[in-house]
Amino acid sequence: MKKKVHFFQSVNFKIALSFILLLLIAIQIIGGYFIRELEATTISDFKKNMDSQVVQLSNTLSTQMSNKDLERSDVDANLKKALSDFSNADISEARIVDDKGIIRATNDLNQQNIIGKKNDYRDLNDFTSKKYQALDNDKRVYVNVQPIQSPTGETVIGVLYVKSNLENKYQEITNTASIFFTASIIAAAISIIVTLLIARSITKPIGEMRE
């Protein structure tokens, strides 16, 4: 009497399982490497881009803050406009502090009352360059503090503070990873079906020959 072989004990299933396990291992290795490189490249490029923009803005502010032909109110208006033009979806906050520690401009419309007051950010008190990643209300941000040099470069006449939103970039990476793994799951499902069909096509003739 011919003994019935269950599907999970069949050669078809064992061959298919071997291919599937190899495929899953490959997906894990490729996926991990891809996401790690994507995150490193995306965050690094974002920081470099912000650093470049902040340096360019500080050079523009240097000319405006050194203009002796304008009244202080006019200079402050120009500084405010410069921050307004600089601001975009990635900028959480930007402010300008002069060499006396007085806030001259901010892009935050809800904090315009701090203009003309003493600076309260410790990072700006020593007028040195700083770049670091931090958490702000549980969201990742990139802080860039850039001294504003006089046009001749001999003295520091102020400091520029820019806080940009890194959380959006990490979310973009997460979305890309989700798309990648969804596509991998679909590919794995298709591969399972194809592998089962191939395994059956291989084992069926062998079974017929044995019979």
Side-chain angles (χ1 to χ4, degrees), residues 47-210:
K47 290 180 178 179
K48 287 179 181 178
N49 182 51
M50 287 307 307
D51 291 344
S52 176
Q53 291 186 48
V54 169
V55 170
Q56 291 178 11
L57 179 59
S58 68
N59 292 334
T60 300
L61 298 176
S62 172
T63 302
Q64 295 177 352
M65 294 179 71
S66 301
N67 193 333
K68 304 298 183 181
D69 298 328
L70 296 177
E71 297 291 334
R72 182 187 175 95
S73 58
D74 294 330
V75 172
D76 288 349
N78 289 339
L79 297 178
K80 180 180 178 181
K81 184 178 184 305
L83 289 188
S84 178
D85 294 340
F86 172 73
S87 297
N88 55 55
D90 292 326
I91 306 300
S92 303
E93 182 184 358
R95 69 166 57 181
I96 302 167
V97 175
D98 63 21
D99 56 352
K100 297 180 178 61
I102 303 300
I103 301 171
R104 300 291 295 273
T106 177
N107 70 332
D108 192 339
L109 298 178
N110 297 322
Q111 295 192 44
Q112 294 301 307
N113 61 318
I114 67 174
I115 296 175
K117 296 182 179 179
K118 194 71 175 176
N119 166 61
D120 56 347
Y121 284 3
R122 293 181 179 179
D123 280 348
L124 311 185
N125 291 335
D126 56 5
F127 298 94
T128 59
S129 177
K130 301 180 183 68
K131 300 171 187 177
Y132 60 88
Q133 187 172 321
L135 283 176
D136 182 34
N137 295 324
D138 295 326
K139 292 185 177 181
R140 284 163 287 198
V141 297
Y142 180 55
V143 176
N144 194 313
V145 179
Q146 178 67 31
I148 302 173
Q149 303 282 345
S150 63
T152 60
E154 296 176 353
T155 59
V156 175
I157 59 175
V159 63
L160 170 64
Y161 172 91
V162 176
K163 180 171 66 178
S164 49
N165 189 350
L166 265 179
E167 198 65 36
N168 290 341
K169 297 302 174 182
Y170 279 105
Q171 187 59 50
E172 289 176 8
I173 296 169
T174 300
N175 294 339
T176 302
S178 298
I179 294 172
F180 175 84
F181 284 113
T182 300
S184 298
I185 291 172
I186 295 173
I190 295 173
S191 298
I192 290 172
I193 297 173
V194 173
T195 304
L196 288 172
L197 292 174
I198 294 174
R200 184 180 178 186
S201 68
I202 294 174
T203 58
K204 187 177 180 181
I206 296 175
E208 292 175 350
M209 291 175 62
R210 289 178 61 185

Side-chain angles (χ1 to χ4, degrees), residues 29-49:
I29 295 173
I30 295 171
Y33 178 80
F34 171 75
I35 298 304
R36 186 175 66 251
E37 290 299 312
L38 176 65
E39 178 177 325
T41 301
T42 300
I43 300 304
S44 176
D45 288 348
F46 177 81
K47 290 180 178 179
K48 287 179 181 178
N49 182 51

